[in-house]
Amino acid sequence: MLQQTQVKTVIPYFKIFLNNFPTLESLSISNERRVLKLWEGLGYYRRARNLLATSKILINKHNSKLPKNLSDIKKLPGIGNYTGNALLAFIHNHPTIAIDGNVKRVFSRILNKNENKIDFNNLIEINKKNLFKAKRNSDFAEALMEFGALVCKPKEPECPNCSIKNICKYFKSDKKFKQTKTLKIKVKNYNIFCYIDKMKKKIALTKKHSLGFLDKFYLPPIKESLSNKKIKNWNFHSNFKNSISNKKLNINLYYKFTLKIPSQHQWFSLKKNSEFIPTFTKKIFKKILKIN
Ligand code: SF4
């Protein structure tokens, strides 16, 4: 849940999730619809699917235990180097570090060197003896992340209060390295088309749409737009911006009142449906159903 999501957003979801699935086994015997319903609003739904799939694999193939080596952990759905190393450190206390943006920044400041010029794996390998001396590898991996988030922050690091300022080349140097600017996410333009059953306050949704990162979820028909031309035979409703997962969308919303909908579309109302509906779709529902 914490991948790409702030702690304060995650806490209520986490509590409800654990109340529903207090054990690995209870999660593993659940189904996607129930898991997604509990995840509703948290975004990045692939995480929920991966978590469910992982619980089944751990129960069925690994005797309900997390494997103890990185290559086996990485075979679990959605787990790469970063999460794999975090799990090895947190769960098995292995001498390893999850190298995220915070950790990279801390090391690059200590060395006063641009991140691009550091081979982090090699750096950790050659400093292994010193880094993992205390054998509290789990605490160390977590502390490093927290240190980057709370002390050695991206902007205005807390150098005067920092407990390692005496070994920090960035702090001591008059010639501080320049941090690489993070790339801005490009905004893409989309047109969304809402077929509305005015009497029943329903709109047509489909899983056959072009937003690959929301595949398998119900959305109104949506198409990437390459020009600003108004669309024939559709009423323009509004323009709005939306961020979903790590994508930024500039949306022109169109509608028409009709009882005919294309194939592979179904009518949905906001309240009466048992299907999982992403928050993005619910927002559109609320906008569009205000039309008189
Ligand atoms: S002294 Fe400043 S730059 Fe160096 S590690 Fe501490 S907070 Fe980061």
Side-chain angles (χ1 to χ4, degrees):
M1 284 183 180
L2 285 166
Q3 280 176 346
Q4 313 276 345
T5 311
Q6 290 184 335
V7 176
K8 67 173 191 294
T9 308
V10 163
I11 288 172
Y13 283 91
F14 183 71
K15 285 182 177 166
I16 294 170
F17 201 84
L18 278 202
N19 275 338
N20 279 271
F21 304 121
T23 63
L24 186 67
E25 196 189 359
S26 59
L27 176 61
S28 75
I29 55 173
S30 183
N31 58 56
E32 195 170 291
R33 185 184 285 193
R34 189 167 165 225
V35 172
L36 286 175
K37 203 75 195 156
L38 291 168
W39 208 276
E40 204 170 294
L42 202 52
Y44 295 91
Y45 296 100
R46 200 161 287 161
R47 299 177 297 181
R49 290 201 189 113
N50 286 338
L51 191 61
L52 176 63
T54 294
S55 70
K56 292 179 194 294
I57 296 170
L58 291 180
I59 292 278
N60 296 323
K61 290 192 179 164
H62 296 282
N63 202 19
S64 307
K65 300 270 190 305
L66 188 78
K68 288 196 168 173
N69 64 71
L70 190 59
S71 65
D72 282 343
I73 292 183
K74 277 170 64 179
K75 285 178 192 152
L76 298 168
I79 297 189
N81 273 331
Y82 169 71
T83 313
N85 277 312
L87 289 169
L88 275 177
F90 295 162
I91 294 177
H92 294 311
N93 198 38
H94 274 211
T96 182
I97 292 170
I99 306 169
D100 67 351
N102 284 334
V103 172
K104 283 184 178 174
R105 187 174 57 255
V106 171
F107 282 131
S108 71
R109 283 198 178 135
I110 293 171
L111 299 172
N112 197 29
K113 236 186 197 182
N114 194 297
E115 286 176 22
N116 302 336
K117 294 187 179 146
I118 303 172
D119 178 342
F120 289 96
N121 290 323
N122 189 41
L123 178 75
I124 291 165
E125 188 56 39
I126 57 181
N127 288 290
K128 230 174 175 172
K129 270 193 185 160
N130 288 329
L131 288 171
F132 305 111
K133 205 154 54 181
K135 308 251 184 290
R136 290 174 58 191
N137 304 323
S138 163
D139 290 340
F140 181 58
E142 193 173 345
L144 251 184
M145 291 176 177
E146 295 293 319
F147 182 74
L150 302 174
V151 183
C152 196
K153 298 179 290 191
K155 286 179 192 163
E156 298 173 26
E158 308 271 344
C159 302
N161 304 320
C162 176
S163 50
I164 58 168
K165 61 178 183 264
N166 292 338
I167 60 150
C168 177
K169 292 186 178 164
Y170 183 86
F171 176 68
K172 288 185 185 173
S173 173
D174 297 327
K175 218 175 147 197
K176 302 191 193 310
F177 79 96
K178 282 214 172 79
Q179 274 174 256
T180 325
K181 283 189 183 158
T182 42
L183 286 175
K184 273 197 173 172
I185 300 168
K186 210 178 151 202
V187 182
K188 280 193 173 183
N189 300 316
Y190 283 90
N191 292 325
I192 288 185
F193 302 95
C194 289
Y195 297 90
I196 307 175
D197 177 340
K198 200 176 177 186
M199 291 296 285
K200 292 186 181 159
K201 288 193 174 294
K202 288 184 173 185
I203 67 173
L205 303 180
T206 179
K207 285 185 177 178
K208 290 275 169 203
H209 52 73
S210 58
L211 280 195
F213 60 99
L214 283 179
D215 60 343
K216 298 191 192 164
F217 293 130
Y218 284 106
L219 298 182
I222 178 165
K223 281 191 185 132
E224 193 173 346
S225 120
L226 301 171
S227 79
N228 265 337
K229 276 188 195 163
K230 293 270 186 290
I231 311 289
K232 265 190 195 167
N233 302 327
W234 286 88
N235 303 304
F236 177 73
H237 178 276
S238 57
N239 170 270
F240 64 98
K241 307 236 175 338
N242 204 97
S243 296
I244 321 176
S245 298
N246 56 354
K247 310 273 188 300
K248 286 192 173 173
L249 279 56
N250 175 41
I251 291 164
N252 282 327
L253 186 59
Y254 293 88
Y255 70 95
K256 68 165 71 163
F257 297 120
T258 180
L259 294 178
K260 279 188 190 163
I261 51 175
S263 62
Q264 296 183 311
H265 287 58
Q266 288 177 50
W267 288 115
F268 281 83
S269 70
L270 188 53
K271 284 176 193 153
K272 289 178 199 153
N273 65 75
S274 56
E275 289 286 347
F276 167 79
I277 305 285
T279 309
F280 175 61
T281 304
K282 285 183 180 169
K283 262 191 208 170
I284 293 167
F285 257 105
K286 283 181 186 158
K287 280 180 189 291
I288 214 87
L289 291 178
K290 280 183 190 155
I291 303 168
N292 289 315

